[in-house]
Amino acid sequence: AQKVTQAQTEISVVEKEDVTLDCVYETRDTTYYLFWYKQPPSGELVFLIRRNSFDEQNEISGRYSWNFQKSTSSFNFTITASQVVDSAVYFCALRGFYNQGGKLIFGQGTELSVKP
Amino acid sequence: DVKVTQSSRYLVKRTGEKVFLECVQDMDHENMFWYRQDPGLGLRLIYFSYDVKMKEKGDIPEGYSVSREKKERFSLILESASTNQTSMYLCASRTGRPGEKLFFGSGTQLSVL
């Protein structure tokens, strides 16, 4: 079975603080993909990043960075110098390579609130 | 840019009504999905379709059916709406290539009274 766990339901920080959103996954597939999506108050989920299981290199995109560690089955997301516009619900998701139709398994989501 | 359009942002229905939620995508994507989003539960897959007239049950298909008569349109049907189907419904689409990202619509907040 495949599963994604985001243990942090809500996080509240003050602007300019760094914040890390945790994601732990379970899968028996040797090939799989991991994703992060952002859901702002408007409701539409926005794609942030995709990593495949063979690429453990960490990635940085502006204030966003991702730490993928297969040894601990984790794919954590860090926002540096957070801003009010980062306030949203963030979802981590997993797709096994052989999932028919590209089915994504989502975590429960972490609601991030960045206060000015 | 890919656009996934859901017909209604908010919908209020009565128990027992038949409800249709429509979703249209404009990028010729093979795969389309219906998710349900509830607080604390994340997104749960109801049904998906990988081709016209092809459909597969997701994790929570009970009480729902779907229709995909044309490639661009994927409809979710609540045969007899119940209060426990009050939720946010999200439609998504993607290409058939492995690892491709999902594109989502803005969602339909359905309230069943």
Side-chain angles (χ1 to χ4, degrees):
Chain A
Q2 300 185 337
K3 186 179 179 182
V4 176
T5 301
Q6 296 178 253
Q8 304 151 307
T9 305
E10 297 178 10
I11 300 176
S12 182
V13 299
V14 176
E15 208 170 17
K16 297 185 183 177
E17 282 186 41
D18 298 347
V19 58
T20 296
L21 283 60
D22 297 331
C23 172
V24 175
Y25 62 92
E26 297 174 26
T27 180
R28 292 182 180 176
D29 290 353
T30 54
T31 302
Y32 51 89
Y33 299 89
L34 295 164
F35 299 79
W36 274 95
Y37 282 85
K38 174 182 179 180
Q39 186 181 39
S42 62
E44 183 174 332
L45 273 80
V46 176
F47 167 81
L48 294 178
I49 190 172
R50 172 189 61 227
R51 301 311 300 267
N52 71 55
S53 53
F54 295 111
D55 183 3
E56 286 193 71
Q57 194 169 14
N58 291 330
E59 182 158 340
I60 298 174
S61 176
R63 295 184 298 107
Y64 295 171
S65 62
W66 291 268
N67 183 358
F68 175 32
Q69 295 200 358
K70 283 179 81 170
S71 60
T72 56
S73 297
S74 65
F75 186 42
N76 296 338
F77 172 31
T78 296
I79 302 175
T80 303
S82 60
Q83 299 177 2
V84 173
V85 293
D86 295 326
S87 296
V89 181
Y90 291 85
F91 290 96
C92 181
L94 164 72
R95 185 209 160 186
F97 185 82
Y98 299 103
N99 281 11
Q100 185 179 25
K103 172 182 170 180
L104 277 189
I105 308 297
F106 283 85
Q108 301 91 323
T110 296
E111 183 170 4
L112 174 65
S113 176
V114 181
K115 302 189 185 307
Chain B
D1 271 355
V2 173
K3 192 155 182 65
V4 179
T5 303
Q6 294 184 230
S7 52
S8 304
R9 186 72 176 92
Y10 298 96
L11 210 52
V12 180
K13 296 292 182 181
R14 296 239 175 244
T15 302
E17 279 192 73
K18 190 169 186 176
V19 181
F20 292 87
L21 301 184
E22 305 287 345
C23 176
V24 177
Q25 49 95 3
D26 65 359
M27 280 300 290
D28 203 35
H29 284 168
E30 293 86 355
N31 300 339
M32 296 188 74
F33 305 81
W34 275 106
Y35 284 89
R36 170 177 171 161
Q37 181 180 2
D38 299 287
L41 298 177
L43 276 69
R44 294 179 292 166
L45 182 64
I46 305 172
Y47 266 97
F48 66 99
S49 167
Y50 49 90
D51 203 348
V52 175
K53 297 190 187 295
M54 306 301 287
K55 59 187 178 185
E56 290 286 339
K57 293 181 180 179
D59 300 316
I60 52 165
E62 297 78 19
Y64 303 93
S65 63
V66 290
S67 172
R68 194 165 181 203
E69 296 296 320
K70 293 185 178 181
K71 193 173 186 180
E72 68 269 20
R73 186 180 297 270
F74 192 36
S75 303
L76 180 69
I77 304 156
L78 287 66
E79 296 289 344
S80 177
S82 62
T83 55
N84 62 13
Q85 292 179 310
T86 291
S87 186
M88 170 70 83
Y89 290 88
L90 293 164
C91 176
S93 73
R94 48 155 277 168
T95 71
R97 293 192 296 273
E100 287 299 309
K101 63 185 180 184
L102 283 176
F103 292 87
F104 282 86
S106 297
T108 296
Q109 179 62 53
L110 173 66
S111 297
V112 182
L113 306 178

